[in-house]
Amino acid sequence: MSMPANGPARDLIGQVFGDLTVTKYIPGTKAKSARWECVCVCGEIRTNATDMLNAGRARSCGCTKSARIGAKKRTHGHSAGIGNS
């Protein structure tokens, strides 16, 4: 799909932002701004605004959230409050 004349200043198709790969441009309407369709490494498809991608606030569909939280709570290989280190 080619970019419309009033489309984005920069084509993001094919670019990778964290675990998301941009696959398609979705033009905006009067009520909604333009967005980008992205595929996560887990296969989930999400849409994100350009500013969310460029600012690094959209990096996955959320599939890696529990792994990140678990890693932050672990201390010396043990879960918080369980076991000796």
Side-chain angles (χ1 to χ4, degrees):
M1 175 184 204
S2 63
M3 295 291 118
N6 62 346
R10 199 174 101 199
D11 185 3
L12 300 181
I13 295 175
Q15 290 193 30
V16 178
F17 296 88
D19 291 336
L20 298 173
T21 302
V22 179
T23 57
K24 182 173 148 186
Y25 175 71
I26 303 168
T29 65
K30 249 185 175 178
K32 198 169 189 177
S33 64
R35 303 184 67 76
W36 297 92
E37 182 178 277
C38 304
V39 178
C40 186
V41 292
C42 70
E44 184 80 21
I45 296 174
R46 296 289 170 126
T47 59
N48 291 290
T50 305
D51 62 333
M52 294 290 283
L53 292 167
N54 288 332
R57 292 191 311 252
R59 304 201 47 81
S60 77
C61 70
C63 63
T64 59
K65 185 176 181 179
S66 61
R68 284 193 321 266
I69 290 172
K72 284 183 181 181
K73 290 188 174 195
R74 252 181 256 114
T75 306
H76 302 291
H78 298 286
S79 295
I82 301 172
N84 297 321
S85 43

